[in-house]
Structures are given as C-alpha cells and as structure tokens.
C-alpha cells in the first residue's frame, strides 16, 4: 500500500487552510490576531477551544452551542495592542481605523476590506451596551495559546516576521462575564460580576455630554497642563499628577491615580467637545485599620491618600471628538487615554 496521500485528498485538505490575501501589513496583523486569538465561546466546555479561523476552516459551529457570555470589546483591543507592543508603530492601526474594523459594514467601496463581522457575524455575536457606556460582545472567548494549523504557512511566517514573535502563546487572561444570571433574552443586567480580576487593564469609556464634567469646587483653568483636583481626603499623597502628549491627529493623557478603586461602578472618565477631561472616583487607601482575611492591622503610618471621593479635571490643548476615545486604567495606577482631535473646529 502506498504511503502517499491520494491527490484528491491532498487538495481537499489544502482547501480547508485559511489564506489571508491582505496586502496591507497592519490590516493583515489586525485580522490575523482577532481571528487567531479569539473564537466562539461554546457551552460545552469540554470541547477544545477553537479560534474563529478554525471554525471557518472546519465549518463545525453549531449556533445552539454559543454560551451567551459577554466580553468587553476593549479587551480585544488590549490583546491586539499587547501583541504589537514591540513592533514598528507604522504596523499599528490608529483608533479611528480600529473602530471602522469593528463597526464597518460591507459595501461596494470596501468589498475587499476584512471586517470583524467576517469572523464573528453580528447575528451570532451582537454588541451590547451596558449602562450606555461599556460595549460588550456576546459569546466570544480568548485563546492564549492558539492552534494555527488551519492557517497557510505563508500567513504564519508573515505574522512572525512582522511581530518578531516565535511563539503564539501569551501569558494573559481576559475577563469574560458568564451568561448565568447576567444575560436574559436580549437584555443585559446592569450589575456585572467583578469577582475575577482581569490581568489586562480595565477599559475606560467617555461621555460626550455637553453638560458633563462640571468641577466640584474652584475655578476652571484654561491651562491644559494644570489639573484641578478636589477630594474628600485630608492629607496624604494627592491623586491627579498628569502628563499630556500630542501628535498630528490625537491627544494622549496620563493621570496618576494611586489607591483609586478600579471598579466601574465607582470610576468614570468623561470628555467634552472642548477638550475638557473629568475623572471621578474613590480612593481606598489611608484607612486607620486594614483587614486581610482573619487579620486586622492597625496602621502606624498613613502617608497614602486618605479614603474618599475625588475628581480631577483639566483641559487638553484643543477640541476633540469625545466619541473617538479609548483608554485604560492599568493596575499600576495610571489612567491613560487617547482621543482624536477635532481638526475642523481647530481650523475655524
């Protein structure tokens, strides 16, 4: 018996391999990462995890198997930026193009442009808004050590060449909200389970309300680099030290928030059209007593910021598009945000 595979069998196996004929490198990287590191979240957990590309190649997705879990869209973006953290900046999608990838719809002008919906059809993975702020996608899971055997070798080689990565394994975890008790029919409960602390930064969103962001006390300053901080806390290191950066089409800001609760129910970051940024939250350090499990510690020094509500407000150098804002509040206590400039208002 011959050990060689019949020619028609070889052709059949080759036909299931995924090929990404995307000329632009940064678009190729985006689509490759989303299709490789994410896949449908299935109810039957004993089945091996399969990426979106594996599902496309095998065509074995059963719609009834979808779990109904929720993942913040910002988590997908965090994985994307993490993988490309050491690449040439020209290979990274700008925020506007990234949103077009997630939100875009196919038409005559972009029929050859890959979209997120090509991997995760909206009918199966609808996007849901919680408290009108956080965008969640239904029934998606993260795969930290994906199987790329469904991809053509030239695609895998191209990814490794562009990223400089030898291995596909990532030491990351992504927060997923289970469907049980949270999702009912087509509505999402406002209270989201925060029991599992994600390793990735907590994503922050903005509110482009014209009336949002009034300072609690004091006069507003028009100087972009001078933040205005109000706090119930007395003594200790104050929150609110910040830096501002600028490029041709966007502003970047970083705010130091030591000891601030990262829970979404206590923390908010809002932007206005005129470039005003308002951060509100609660500090949790500086207590007289700290309890850890069965032990109670009487604090001998209290140099950190005292517990209480606070707000930080400042102005960016020019007008912005509040709806085109992405940010994250890292576990290092630094809030970092990037918002696109409103260049039309600046030229008026």
């Amino acid at each position: 018996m011959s050990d060689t595979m019949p020619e028609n069998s070889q052709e059949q196996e080759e036909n299931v391999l995924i090929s990404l004929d995307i000329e632009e490198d940064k678009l190729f990287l985006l689509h490759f990462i989303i299709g490789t590191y994410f896949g449908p979240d299935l109810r039957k957990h004993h089945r091996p995890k399969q990426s979106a590309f594996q599902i496309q190649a095998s065509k074995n997705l059963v719609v009834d198997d979808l779990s109904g879990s929720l993942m913040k869209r910002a988590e997908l973006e965090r994985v994307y930026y993490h993988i490309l953290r050491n690449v040439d900046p020209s290979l990274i999608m700008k925020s506007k193009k990234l949103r077009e990838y997630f939100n875009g719809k196919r038409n005559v002008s972009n029929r050859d442009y890959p979209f997120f919906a090509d991997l995760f059809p909206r009918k199966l993975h609808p996007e849901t808004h919680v408290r009108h702020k956080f965008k969640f996608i239904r029934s998606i899971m993260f795969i930290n050590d994906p199987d790329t055997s469904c991809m053509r070798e030239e695609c895998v080689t191209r990814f490794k060449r562009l990223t400089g990565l030898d291995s596909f394994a990532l030491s990351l975890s992504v927060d997923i909200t289970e469907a049980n008790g949270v999702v009912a029919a087509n509505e999402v409960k406002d209270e989201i389970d925060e029991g599992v602390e994600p390793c990735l930064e907590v994503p922050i969103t903005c509110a482009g309300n014209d009336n949002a962001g009034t300072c609690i006390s004091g006069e507003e300053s028009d100087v972009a680099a001078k933040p205005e901080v109000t706090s119930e806390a007395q003594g200790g290191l104050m929150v609110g030290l910040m830096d501002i950066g600028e490029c041709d089409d966007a502003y970047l800001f970083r705010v130091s928030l030591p000891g601030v609760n990262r829970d979404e129910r206590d923390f908010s970051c809002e932007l206005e059209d005129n470039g005003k940024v308002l951060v509100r939250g609660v500090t949790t350090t500086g207590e007289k007593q700290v309890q850890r499990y069965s032990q109670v510690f009487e604090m001998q020094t209290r140099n950190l910021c005292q517990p209480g509500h606070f707000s930080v407000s400042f102005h960016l150098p020019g007008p912005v598009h509040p709806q085109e804002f992405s940010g994250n509040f890292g576990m290092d206590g630094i809030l970092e945000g990037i918002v696109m400039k409103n260049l039309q208002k600046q030229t008026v």
Side-chain angles (χ1 to χ4, degrees), residues 103-278:
N103 300 329
K105 297 180 180 179
R106 180 150 283 106
N107 53 46
V108 177
S109 63
N110 61 20
R111 59 173 176 255
D112 297 325
Y113 190 100
F115 288 110
F116 178 76
D118 297 335
L119 301 171
F120 298 97
R122 287 189 175 87
K123 289 183 178 180
L124 303 181
H125 306 276
E127 190 173 89
T128 306
H129 293 253
V130 176
R131 296 195 294 274
H132 306 289
K133 293 172 65 178
F134 301 102
K135 295 180 181 179
F136 287 78
I137 302 174
R138 197 181 299 266
S139 303
I140 288 183
M141 66 177 177
F142 169 62
I143 305 171
N144 63 351
D145 191 7
D147 180 358
T148 60
S149 60
C150 66
M151 305 297 295
R152 288 188 180 275
E153 184 60 32
E154 56 264 33
C155 292
V156 175
T157 302
R158 182 182 181 187
F159 173 82
K160 290 183 176 181
R161 174 176 56 82
L162 292 173
T163 61
L165 298 175
D166 294 325
S167 171
F168 284 89
L170 299 178
S171 57
L172 292 175
S173 64
V174 169
D175 195 22
I176 296 179
T177 303
E178 297 294 336
N180 296 336
V182 178
V183 180
N186 290 322
E187 66 180 22
V188 177
K189 187 177 178 182
D190 280 351
E191 296 297 326
I192 298 298
D193 182 12
E194 299 292 341
V196 179
E197 182 75 17
C199 292
L200 294 175
E201 291 84 353
V202 175
I204 305 303
T205 57
C206 72
N209 188 339
D210 290 338
N211 299 318
T214 303
C215 290
I216 294 176
S217 65
E219 297 181 359
E220 293 187 17
S221 171
D222 291 329
V223 181
K226 185 178 180 180
E228 188 165 312
V229 181
T230 65
S231 175
E232 295 177 0
Q234 300 296 321
L237 297 176
M238 185 61 72
V239 300
L241 296 177
M242 64 93 179
D243 289 322
I244 292 176
E246 181 178 5
C247 68
D248 291 340
D249 59 355
Y251 296 115
L252 176 145
F253 61 86
R254 291 173 175 165
V255 185
S256 176
L257 301 173
V260 172
N261 190 351
R262 298 166 72 243
D263 192 310
E264 298 156 3
R265 291 165 288 194
D266 295 327
F267 186 87
S268 66
C269 177
E270 301 176 357
L271 275 77
E272 295 184 20
D273 293 342
N274 62 1
K276 181 177 179 179
V277 181
L278 175 65

Side-chain angles (χ1 to χ4, degrees), residues 8 11 67 71 75 82 127 164 229 239 241 254 271 279 329:
N8 58 348
E11 291 176 356
S67 67
M71 179 185 291
E75 297 283 31
H82 176 82
E127 190 173 89
V229 181
V239 300
L241 296 177
R254 291 173 175 165
L271 275 77
V279 180
F329 187 1

